[in-house]
């Protein structure tokens, strides 16, 4: 009899424990969506196309000093970098005023599901883009560039003597405030090394001859603006945004609209697909790019939503950046020749014992970095095109990801080494060591210069097959 009572008591206790667990799970499941949870807001997902902060996309450049390959010493570095995080264009203020007007409808259904703290943050949000902004680089963007300079200085101390002389390097920028600022920040980081704090860095910068290329005469850094074939066949092509528009009006975006409207307590009909993208672009992604913060307009989005919208951004970019558009990569011809010419000249000068700049630095935009990387074959595309139809197949591990290929301050670097009597080349994409296609002799992704010059013979100035920008861009 005692055993029966013990069994019954034990069963009752187990039932109570089970009920408690179920109830606890119910309460947990009923918690409102909130930015303090890991599955909501930009704290849950860090990739926003070309507005991705560099720290989330960069690879791991060796951080200890003098990490040259064994029995090698660096001779020259060539680096092309995109500007860092920047302010938006003037038209963004108009879109942010639309967002502010929309805020008056919050919880108009009386059934908003977003947590009260997030709702309050949204109600207190005000447009922060001024009327006079013009895509200028932010302080955060300066710091992104400064970090890149510091890490390469630490990796290659032999190329950056203490202190460095102004004529040791060549600098060139496109004619925009943000790229000029990028060039100046990078150069300052080089020249302040080993100099007293009160030294006149501005004078050193003047002596270094920081060059700015006139905008409409720039086949090196802003080639896409004057390449007529690219403008006509790609940028002005009526089907350029066809896949993007198809996905924007499709079931995936409709699901996101339904979820966001539900969380904000507004009728689903008050958020059109285009306005949803405005919330994402001019509210959410813009603020995290400028402030590195999980801003209020990111709060209504779940991690799953943000991943889908990042994919949508890639769909929008894919058509005019894909490898299938040969002109998209081939128009970087002059920049590619500048790279190969610098590496070849540096090696020849070193052989003769002549002086040659230790570094060549170019500062430009998304297209310059991405087109050049594609022209050198330094990144591959997916077997499937980036479309809504292929969303499930490409969502997790797609190769074409603008966030990872060209975040703010995205960069491409070539380092020339002398290894014994032979010259070799390493390439870095966003500070990650990258293989040169077909280089079977590469050791630790270090490729003989002879192979590099032969493989990229179209980019070697004076070669029989030297590419010609005018011919490439001729309509």
């Amino acid at each position: 009899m005692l055993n029966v009572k013990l069994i019954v008591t034990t069963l009752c206790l187990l039932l109570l424990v089970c009920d408690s667990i179920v109830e606890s799970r119910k309460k947990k499941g009923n918690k409102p969506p909130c930015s303090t949870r890991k599955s909501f807001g930009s704290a849950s997902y860090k990739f926003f196309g070309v507005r991705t902060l560099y720290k989330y996309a960069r690879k791991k450049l060796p951080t200890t000093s003098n990490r040259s390959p064994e029995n090698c010493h660096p001779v020259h570095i060539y680096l092309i970098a995109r500007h860092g995080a920047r302010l938006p264009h003037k038209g963004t203020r108009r879109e942010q005023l639309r967002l502010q007007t929309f805020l008056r409808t919050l919880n108009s259904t009386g059934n908003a599901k977003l947590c009260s703290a997030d709702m309050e943050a949204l109600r207190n949000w005000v447009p922060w883009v001024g009327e006079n902004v013009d895509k200028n680089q932010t302080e955060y963007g300066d710091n992104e560039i400064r970090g890149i300079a510091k890490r390469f200085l630490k990796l290659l101390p032999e190329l950056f003597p203490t202190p460095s002389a102004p004529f040791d390097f060549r600098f060139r920028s496109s004619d925009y405030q943000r790229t000029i600022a990028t060039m100046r920040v990078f150069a300052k980081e080089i020249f302040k090394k080993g100099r007293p704090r009160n030294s006149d860095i501005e004078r050193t910068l003047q002596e270094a001859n920081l060059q700015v290329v006139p905008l409409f005469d720039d086949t090196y850094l802003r080639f896409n603006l004057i390449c007529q074939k690219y403008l006509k066949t790609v940028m002005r092509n009526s089907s350029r945004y066809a896949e993007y528009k198809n996905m924007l009006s499709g079931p995936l975006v409709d699901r996101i609209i339904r979820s966001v409207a539900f969380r904000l307590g507004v009728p689903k009909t008050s958020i059109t697909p285009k306005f949803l993208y405005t919330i994402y672009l001019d509210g959410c992604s813009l603020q995290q790019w400028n402030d590195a913060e999980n801003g209020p307009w990111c709060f209504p989005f779940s991690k799953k939503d943000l991943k889908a919208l990042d994919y949508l951004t890639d769909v929008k970019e894919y058509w005019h950046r894909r490898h299938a558009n040969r002109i998209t990569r081939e128009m970087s011809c002059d920049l590619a020749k500048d790279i190969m010419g610098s590496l070849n000249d540096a090696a020849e000068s070193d052989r003769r014992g002549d002086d040659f700049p230790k570094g060549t630095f170019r500062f430009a935009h998304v297209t310059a970095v991405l087109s050049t990387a594609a022209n050198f074959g330094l990144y591959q595309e997916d077997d499937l095109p980036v479309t809504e139809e292929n969303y499930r197949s490409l969502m997790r591990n797609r190769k074409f990801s603008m966030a990872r290929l060209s975040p703010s301050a995205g960069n491409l670097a070539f380092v020339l080494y002398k290894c014994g009597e032979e010259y070799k080349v390493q390439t870095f994409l966003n500070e990650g060591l990258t293989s040169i296609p077909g280089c079977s002799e590469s050791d630790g992704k270090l490729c003989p210069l002879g192979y590099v010059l032969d493989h990229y013979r179209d980019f070697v100035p004076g070669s029989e097959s030297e590419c010609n920008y005018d011919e490439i861009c001729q309509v």
Side-chain angles (χ1 to χ4, degrees):
M1 187 68 177
L2 185 61
N3 287 341
V4 172
K5 284 184 177 181
L6 184 60
I7 291 170
V8 171
T9 302
T10 303
L11 287 172
C12 288
L13 287 171
L14 285 171
L15 285 171
L16 284 171
V17 169
C18 288
D19 285 344
S20 176
I21 291 172
V22 170
E23 188 62 28
S24 173
R25 287 181 176 175
K26 281 183 179 178
K27 287 180 180 178
K28 187 177 181 179
N30 288 333
K31 282 185 179 180
C34 203
S35 59
T36 55
R37 295 169 63 185
K38 293 181 179 180
S39 55
F40 281 88
S42 62
S44 69
Y45 188 71
K46 303 295 186 181
F47 300 99
F48 293 85
V50 295
R51 288 179 174 177
T52 299
L53 297 174
Y54 185 66
K55 65 179 179 179
Y56 298 124
R58 79 174 180 89
K59 306 301 181 184
K60 297 294 183 183
L61 195 70
T63 53
T64 55
S65 61
N66 202 11
R67 289 296 299 270
S68 298
E70 191 174 355
N71 299 320
C72 299
H73 70 269
V75 174
H76 186 79
I77 178 173
Y78 188 109
L79 181 137
I80 167 77
R82 180 193 174 200
H83 58 81
R86 63 164 174 80
L87 292 169
H89 58 81
K90 296 176 182 179
T92 306
R93 180 169 177 79
R94 181 176 60 251
E95 297 304 319
Q96 290 204 337
L97 289 172
R98 287 183 64 208
L99 292 175
Q100 187 179 37
T101 300
F102 174 75
L103 289 176
R104 299 170 191 164
T105 68
L106 283 187
N107 202 25
S108 56
T109 65
N111 196 31
K113 298 301 178 185
L114 205 61
C115 69
S116 58
D118 286 358
M119 291 291 283
E120 187 65 20
L122 273 167
R123 288 192 181 97
N124 292 332
W125 180 88
V126 293
W128 54 269
V129 174
E131 295 179 356
N132 298 318
V133 297
D134 195 18
K135 302 183 180 181
N136 292 349
Q137 183 159 285
T138 63
E139 184 178 349
Y140 190 92
D142 287 351
N143 287 332
E144 289 180 310
I145 297 300
R146 197 171 285 118
I148 294 168
K150 286 179 177 179
R151 288 187 291 275
F152 273 108
L153 261 66
K154 197 168 187 179
L155 176 71
L156 305 165
E158 293 161 283
L159 294 183
F160 303 98
T162 305
S164 293
F167 52 80
D168 278 341
F169 309 99
R170 299 181 296 191
F171 299 91
R172 181 181 289 174
S173 159
S174 64
D175 194 6
Y176 290 84
Q177 183 280 338
R178 55 191 180 276
T179 47
I180 295 171
T182 296
M183 175 171 64
R184 288 177 58 82
V185 168
F186 198 98
K188 279 184 179 180
E189 204 59 41
I190 292 175
F191 294 127
K192 77 177 187 181
K193 182 183 176 185
R195 284 183 167 83
R197 288 188 179 182
N198 61 350
S199 61
D200 191 352
I201 296 296
E202 286 300 323
R203 182 177 177 180
T204 305
L205 293 182
Q206 290 177 7
E207 293 172 352
N209 188 25
L210 308 187
Q211 297 180 359
V212 177
V213 187
L215 185 58
F216 291 104
D217 190 30
D218 189 355
T219 62
Y220 285 85
L221 303 177
R222 213 62 172 126
F223 45 78
N224 53 304
L225 295 185
I226 55 177
C227 181
Q228 293 304 312
K229 186 174 182 179
Y230 174 72
L231 294 173
K232 182 177 180 179
T233 62
V234 178
M235 299 305 287
R236 296 171 189 155
N237 192 305
S238 59
S239 61
R240 175 183 169 190
Y241 290 129
E243 281 295 340
Y244 161 73
K245 291 177 180 177
N246 182 56
M247 185 172 178
L248 190 65
S249 59
L252 182 62
V253 170
D254 187 68
R255 176 193 63 75
I256 298 173
I257 291 173
R258 190 181 301 276
S259 298
V260 169
F262 183 65
R263 292 168 194 143
L264 295 177
V266 299
K268 178 178 176 290
T269 53
S270 67
I271 303 178
T272 63
K274 189 174 180 180
F275 187 61
L276 177 82
Y277 199 64
T278 296
I279 294 174
Y280 170 72
L281 201 66
D282 297 321
C284 173
S285 76
L286 185 61
Q287 184 151 359
Q288 64 80 37
W289 196 31
N290 280 264
D291 299 336
E293 290 182 357
N294 185 11
W297 283 109
C298 291
F299 296 168
F301 295 110
S302 68
K303 182 178 182 179
K304 186 177 180 180
D305 296 336
L306 292 174
K307 281 186 173 182
L309 291 168
D310 180 38
Y311 184 89
L312 174 64
T313 300
D314 284 345
V315 171
K316 188 176 183 180
E317 295 280 341
Y318 176 72
W319 199 92
H320 66 279
R321 299 195 187 277
R322 60 184 179 161
H323 289 358
N325 292 326
R326 289 182 58 184
I327 186 63
T328 297
R329 63 178 188 275
E330 290 180 352
M331 64 180 173
S332 60
C333 160
D334 280 356
L335 182 54
K337 289 196 296 185
D338 193 39
I339 294 169
M340 295 307 298
S342 294
L343 296 177
N344 194 28
D345 290 348
E348 289 299 320
S349 296
D350 188 72
R351 284 192 186 99
R352 296 191 302 266
D354 296 339
D355 289 334
F356 191 81
K358 302 179 189 304
T360 302
F361 304 104
R362 308 304 192 210
F363 303 96
H365 310 263
V366 172
T367 301
V369 176
L370 207 56
S371 174
T372 306
N375 220 356
F376 278 89
L378 298 180
Y379 78 91
Q380 301 302 313
E381 287 187 355
D382 308 276
D383 294 333
L384 297 172
V386 183
T387 62
E388 180 184 32
E389 182 182 0
N390 296 322
Y391 172 74
R392 293 191 180 279
S393 300
L394 297 177
M395 183 59 229
R396 291 190 178 183
N397 296 306
R398 66 187 179 279
K399 297 173 184 175
F400 185 88
S401 167
M402 291 300 292
R404 293 163 178 82
L405 289 172
S406 192
S408 62
N411 56 87
L412 176 62
F414 296 78
V415 180
L416 176 71
Y417 291 94
K418 186 175 185 181
C419 307
E421 296 301 313
E422 188 176 16
Y423 293 91
K424 296 187 177 184
V425 178
Q426 271 187 339
T427 57
F428 299 83
L429 181 59
N430 297 327
E431 301 182 46
L433 263 176
T434 306
S435 298
I436 291 176
C439 188
S440 58
E441 298 179 54
S442 62
D443 178 20
K445 298 181 180 176
L446 192 66
C447 189
L449 178 62
Y451 173 87
V452 173
L453 293 173
D454 182 62
H455 185 70
Y456 297 121
R457 64 180 72 89
D458 292 356
F459 307 148
V460 177
S463 70
E464 291 183 3
S465 59
E466 177 185 355
C467 65
N468 183 289
Y469 177 84
D470 292 335
E471 290 178 4
I472 289 169
C473 292
Q474 186 176 14
V475 178

